[in-house]
mmCIF file of all heavy atoms in Angstrom:
data_model
loop_
_atom_site.group_PDB
_atom_site.id
_atom_site.type_symbol
_atom_site.label_atom_id
_atom_site.label_comp_id
_atom_site.label_asym_id
_atom_site.label_seq_id
_atom_site.Cartn_x
_atom_site.Cartn_y
_atom_site.Cartn_z
ATOM 1 N N LYS I 681 56.788 18.958 282.040
ATOM 2 C CA LYS I 681 56.156 20.290 281.979
ATOM 3 C C LYS I 681 54.669 20.147 281.669
ATOM 4 O O LYS I 681 54.267 19.269 280.895
ATOM 5 C CB LYS I 681 56.805 21.139 280.867
ATOM 6 C CG LYS I 681 58.290 21.433 281.075
ATOM 7 C CD LYS I 681 58.821 22.387 280.008
ATOM 8 C CE LYS I 681 59.189 21.717 278.722
ATOM 9 N NZ LYS I 681 60.551 21.261 278.547
ATOM 10 N N GLN I 682 53.823 21.024 282.234
ATOM 11 C CA GLN I 682 52.377 20.983 281.998
ATOM 12 C C GLN I 682 52.074 21.112 280.512
ATOM 13 O O GLN I 682 51.228 20.394 279.970
ATOM 14 C CB GLN I 682 51.669 22.116 282.750
ATOM 15 C CG GLN I 682 50.132 22.036 282.685
ATOM 16 C CD GLN I 682 49.575 20.752 283.259
ATOM 17 O OE1 GLN I 682 49.861 20.390 284.405
ATOM 18 N NE2 GLN I 682 48.770 20.015 282.473
ATOM 19 N N GLU I 683 52.824 21.994 279.812
ATOM 20 C CA GLU I 683 52.511 22.177 278.373
ATOM 21 C C GLU I 683 52.734 20.874 277.605
ATOM 22 O O GLU I 683 52.005 20.549 276.673
ATOM 23 C CB GLU I 683 53.365 23.306 277.788
ATOM 24 C CG GLU I 683 54.847 22.992 277.796
ATOM 25 C CD GLU I 683 55.726 24.191 277.418
ATOM 26 O OE1 GLU I 683 55.745 24.535 276.224
ATOM 27 O OE2 GLU I 683 56.355 24.749 278.338
ATOM 28 N N LEU I 684 53.722 20.083 278.043
ATOM 29 C CA LEU I 684 53.977 18.797 277.370
ATOM 30 C C LEU I 684 52.883 17.801 277.705
ATOM 31 O O LEU I 684 52.427 17.037 276.860
ATOM 32 C CB LEU I 684 55.316 18.240 277.814
ATOM 33 C CG LEU I 684 56.501 18.544 276.924
ATOM 34 C CD1 LEU I 684 57.754 17.948 277.523
ATOM 35 C CD2 LEU I 684 56.291 18.065 275.517
ATOM 36 N N VAL I 685 52.453 17.796 278.960
ATOM 37 C CA VAL I 685 51.353 16.903 279.372
ATOM 38 C C VAL I 685 50.101 17.254 278.571
ATOM 39 O O VAL I 685 49.436 16.369 278.015
ATOM 40 C CB VAL I 685 51.098 17.011 280.889
ATOM 41 C CG1 VAL I 685 49.829 16.255 281.281
ATOM 42 C CG2 VAL I 685 52.281 16.466 281.682
ATOM 43 N N ASP I 686 49.813 18.542 278.448
ATOM 44 C CA ASP I 686 48.630 18.974 277.683
ATOM 45 C C ASP I 686 48.742 18.544 276.224
ATOM 46 O O ASP I 686 47.799 18.054 275.617
ATOM 47 C CB ASP I 686 48.468 20.502 277.770
ATOM 48 C CG ASP I 686 48.148 20.946 279.196
ATOM 49 O OD1 ASP I 686 47.750 20.076 280.001
ATOM 50 O OD2 ASP I 686 48.342 22.141 279.512
ATOM 51 N N LYS I 687 49.967 18.710 275.689
ATOM 52 C CA LYS I 687 50.208 18.309 274.282
ATOM 53 C C LYS I 687 49.976 16.796 274.137
ATOM 54 O O LYS I 687 49.335 16.327 273.200
ATOM 55 C CB LYS I 687 51.662 18.665 273.929
ATOM 56 C CG LYS I 687 52.116 18.236 272.565
ATOM 57 C CD LYS I 687 53.612 18.581 272.361
ATOM 58 C CE LYS I 687 54.236 17.670 271.311
ATOM 59 N NZ LYS I 687 55.683 17.536 271.443
ATOM 60 N N GLY I 688 50.461 16.059 275.121
ATOM 61 C CA GLY I 688 50.285 14.605 275.093
ATOM 62 C C GLY I 688 48.819 14.224 275.202
ATOM 63 O O GLY I 688 48.328 13.383 274.437
ATOM 64 N N LEU I 689 48.100 14.855 276.125
ATOM 65 C CA LEU I 689 46.673 14.541 276.322
ATOM 66 C C LEU I 689 45.899 14.762 275.023
ATOM 67 O O LEU I 689 45.078 13.938 274.606
ATOM 68 C CB LEU I 689 46.091 15.399 277.447
ATOM 69 C CG LEU I 689 46.506 14.999 278.872
ATOM 70 C CD1 LEU I 689 46.072 16.071 279.880
ATOM 71 C CD2 LEU I 689 45.942 13.636 279.244
ATOM 72 N N ALA I 690 46.225 15.880 274.358
ATOM 73 C CA ALA I 690 45.535 16.189 273.086
ATOM 74 C C ALA I 690 45.874 15.136 272.027
ATOM 75 O O ALA I 690 45.006 14.676 271.270
ATOM 76 C CB ALA I 690 45.954 17.581 272.616
ATOM 77 N N ALA I 691 47.137 14.725 271.998
ATOM 78 C CA ALA I 691 47.559 13.722 270.999
ATOM 79 C C ALA I 691 46.898 12.373 271.257
ATOM 80 O O ALA I 691 46.449 11.699 270.325
ATOM 81 C CB ALA I 691 49.086 13.587 271.035
ATOM 82 N N TYR I 692 46.802 11.979 272.522
ATOM 83 C CA TYR I 692 46.122 10.718 272.855
ATOM 84 C C TYR I 692 44.636 10.823 272.493
ATOM 85 O O TYR I 692 44.063 9.907 271.887
ATOM 86 C CB TYR I 692 46.275 10.391 274.343
ATOM 87 C CG TYR I 692 47.647 9.870 274.737
ATOM 88 C CD1 TYR I 692 48.486 10.603 275.579
ATOM 89 C CD2 TYR I 692 48.111 8.642 274.273
ATOM 90 C CE1 TYR I 692 49.740 10.136 275.936
ATOM 91 C CE2 TYR I 692 49.368 8.169 274.627
ATOM 92 C CZ TYR I 692 50.175 8.916 275.455
ATOM 93 O OH TYR I 692 51.424 8.450 275.808
ATOM 94 N N LYS I 693 44.033 11.955 272.839
ATOM 95 C CA LYS I 693 42.593 12.145 272.574
ATOM 96 C C LYS I 693 42.308 12.039 271.075
ATOM 97 O O LYS I 693 41.337 11.433 270.637
ATOM 98 C CB LYS I 693 42.154 13.517 273.108
ATOM 99 C CG LYS I 693 40.665 13.749 273.143
ATOM 100 C CD LYS I 693 40.309 14.877 274.090
ATOM 101 C CE LYS I 693 38.786 14.929 274.252
ATOM 102 N NZ LYS I 693 38.129 15.977 273.620
ATOM 103 N N GLU I 694 43.232 12.604 270.297
ATOM 104 C CA GLU I 694 43.060 12.614 268.835
ATOM 105 C C GLU I 694 42.966 11.194 268.260
ATOM 106 O O GLU I 694 42.319 10.958 267.247
ATOM 107 C CB GLU I 694 44.263 13.337 268.195
ATOM 108 C CG GLU I 694 43.959 13.965 266.839
ATOM 109 C CD GLU I 694 45.140 14.788 266.352
ATOM 110 O OE1 GLU I 694 45.524 15.730 267.084
ATOM 111 O OE2 GLU I 694 45.687 14.426 265.298
ATOM 112 N N ILE I 695 43.600 10.244 268.944
ATOM 113 C CA ILE I 695 43.551 8.846 268.453
ATOM 114 C C ILE I 695 42.633 8.003 269.328
ATOM 115 O O ILE I 695 42.748 6.781 269.374
ATOM 116 C CB ILE I 695 44.969 8.221 268.350
ATOM 117 C CG1 ILE I 695 45.739 8.334 269.669
ATOM 118 C CG2 ILE I 695 45.762 8.858 267.216
ATOM 119 C CD1 ILE I 695 47.085 7.624 269.660
ATOM 120 N N GLY I 696 41.752 8.703 270.065
ATOM 121 C CA GLY I 696 40.712 7.991 270.807
ATOM 122 C C GLY I 696 41.150 7.348 272.101
ATOM 123 O O GLY I 696 40.500 6.441 272.608
ATOM 124 N N ILE I 697 42.283 7.810 272.654
ATOM 125 C CA ILE I 697 42.764 7.233 273.927
ATOM 126 C C ILE I 697 42.506 8.239 275.052
ATOM 127 O O ILE I 697 42.975 9.383 274.995
ATOM 128 C CB ILE I 697 44.267 6.888 273.856
ATOM 129 C CG1 ILE I 697 44.520 5.809 272.803
ATOM 130 C CG2 ILE I 697 44.789 6.420 275.230
ATOM 131 C CD1 ILE I 697 45.992 5.531 272.543
ATOM 132 N N ASP I 698 41.749 7.820 276.060
ATOM 133 C CA ASP I 698 41.435 8.686 277.194
ATOM 134 C C ASP I 698 42.521 8.510 278.246
ATOM 135 O O ASP I 698 42.346 7.818 279.237
ATOM 136 C CB ASP I 698 40.058 8.292 277.752
ATOM 137 C CG ASP I 698 39.710 9.121 278.992
ATOM 138 O OD1 ASP I 698 40.305 10.217 279.147
ATOM 139 O OD2 ASP I 698 38.893 8.649 279.823
#
Side-chain angles (χ1 to χ4, degrees):
K681 297 186 278 268
Q682 187 59 54
E683 65 189 286
L684 265 179
V685 171
D686 294 343
K687 176 183 156 204
L689 286 170
Y692 285 114
K693 191 160 189 253
E694 206 174 301
I695 54 175
I697 297 173
D698 177 21

